[in-house]
Amino acid sequence: MNADWEVLVEKDGPLGIATLSRPKALNALSMSLMKSLLEVLEGFDADPAIRVMLVAGSERVFAAGADIGEMKDLGDETAAEAAMAEHLARWDRIARLRKPVVAAVSGFALGGGCELALACDFIVASETAQFGQPEVLIGVIPGAGATQRLTKAVGQALAMDLCLTGRRLNAREALAAGLVSRVFAPEILLEEAKKLARLIAATAPLAVQAAKRSVRGALDCDTEAGLRAERKAFYRLFGTTDQKEGMRAFVEKRAPVFKGE
Ligand code: DAK
């Protein structure tokens, strides 16, 4: 494991793991931390040995939001936009990575921290996880995607409730709302997230990337267009070696060996 400044980087076989590590500020997502995180994740995305990425925090906190200290004196609307535009784009760039990204959330995932988890492809959580968009409590609104991604994940009623009150959702509520896919005890969260990531890594990489794009697209286009895109992606996979290998291996009753080709 290499220790970057605020992001710990680990490669574990086909898994690329980025761990937020700014404990004194509860992993507040400063501009430098987000810059490092994006560099790490884009590096994993370009690394042929990596098939799945994990983003984690500590047991106490995933991330308590953007760094309030950095934002508090940004000035007026124009100055704030000038200072933060590149910062904001980082959440969107994470959402656009080709390979699957799993967020493993324990403890607080607030504001930009919740939005970081939402920018990943899906979230697994520990029983101690708490999700929230408390921006209205400090005079702003979510700025890194929650009014859109949270609403699409949990629906308008709950998204409004969270964004307008700033209250937090616990892991059980998040599971019931469809914000997270699985919940584990905090001490086994990372191991379980790795197991899940290894399951994904054992499947056909190009098919996984196509499935990711297609599922993500479902939230952004009408059903007919989404179905057309899905079908096109389905047929396109017949041009891959892994489709031949996967189907032949099934018929030959052996385990497939996928190459990502
Ligand atoms: N920023 C900076 N420092 C933070 C922080 C944050 N978000 N959250 C916690 N800290 C720091 C605290 O100041 C404290 O530092 P010291 O006083 O020890 O130096 C240390 O972490 C421990 O925090 P607490 O003493 O408060 O710990 P507690 O256990 O009592 O409380 C808490 C934990 C998570 C409930 C509390 O720290 C808290 O409420 N934190 C703030 C949560 C919050 O409001 N988050 C939303 C921030 S706004 C955008 C991109 C992103 C965003 C917007 C736009 N674009 C680029 C346009 C995102 C905005 C946000 O996330």
Side-chain angles (χ1 to χ4, degrees), residues 22 24-26 28 60 64-69 71 84-85 87-89 91 108 110-113 115 134-135 138 140-144 168:
R22 200 186 163 210
K24 286 186 182 148
L26 300 188
R60 180 179 180 212
D67 192 316
I68 298 171
M71 290 188 293
M84 294 195 75
H87 192 38
L88 177 63
W91 277 258
F108 300 113
L110 304 177
E115 290 168 307
E135 288 87 346
I138 55 169
V140 286
I141 68 165
R168 299 183 205 143

Side-chain angles (χ1 to χ4, degrees), residues 37 56 114 186 196:
L37 177 64
C114 187
L196 181 58

Side-chain angles (χ1 to χ4, degrees), residues 2 6 45 58 145 152 177 182 222 247 249 255 260:
N2 298 325
E6 294 155 329
D45 212 32
S58 65
K152 286 172 176 172
R182 307 186 194 197
D222 68 76
M247 294 192 182

Side-chain angles (χ1 to χ4, degrees), residues 227-242:
L227 288 172
R228 276 197 302 278
E230 178 192 85
R231 219 142 292 163
K232 215 168 159 189
F234 174 80
Y235 291 133
R236 204 178 301 121
L237 288 163
F238 280 77
T240 66
T241 310
D242 283 349

Side-chain angles (χ1 to χ4, degrees), residues 58-138:
S58 65
E59 195 169 315
R60 180 179 180 212
V61 60
F62 179 71
D67 192 316
I68 298 171
E70 260 181 6
M71 290 188 293
K72 68 180 182 1
D73 297 321
L74 280 182
D76 65 7
E77 177 184 345
T78 312
E81 187 174 351
M84 294 195 75
E86 197 184 344
H87 192 38
L88 177 63
R90 294 183 180 122
W91 277 258
D92 296 336
R93 282 168 69 178
I94 289 170
R96 284 199 299 268
L97 292 165
R98 279 182 312 125
K99 295 174 185 171
V101 190
V102 182
V105 173
S106 187
F108 300 113
L110 304 177
C114 187
E115 290 168 307
L116 172 59
L118 284 162
C120 298
D121 294 315
F122 63 99
I123 305 171
V124 295
S126 87
E127 287 156 354
T128 62
Q130 293 190 50
F131 298 87
Q133 297 298 151
E135 288 87 346
V136 287
L137 303 174
I138 55 169

Side-chain angles (χ1 to χ4, degrees), residues 51 202-208 234 237-261:
R51 292 190 173 180
T203 64
L206 295 176
V208 160
F234 174 80
L237 288 163
F238 280 77
T240 66
T241 310
D242 283 349
Q243 174 269 326
K244 306 284 177 274
E245 168 64 7
M247 294 192 182
R248 274 179 201 148
F250 177 82
V251 171
E252 292 164 12
K253 301 190 187 303
R254 61 174 174 83
V257 181
F258 292 123
K259 295 185 174 152
E261 298 167 357

Side-chain angles (χ1 to χ4, degrees), residues 199-222:
L199 284 180
I200 299 170
T203 64
L206 295 176
V208 160
Q209 289 167 29
K212 161 177 170 156
R213 269 196 308 278
S214 199
V215 172
R216 275 198 171 266
L219 297 176
D220 297 324
C221 65
D222 68 76

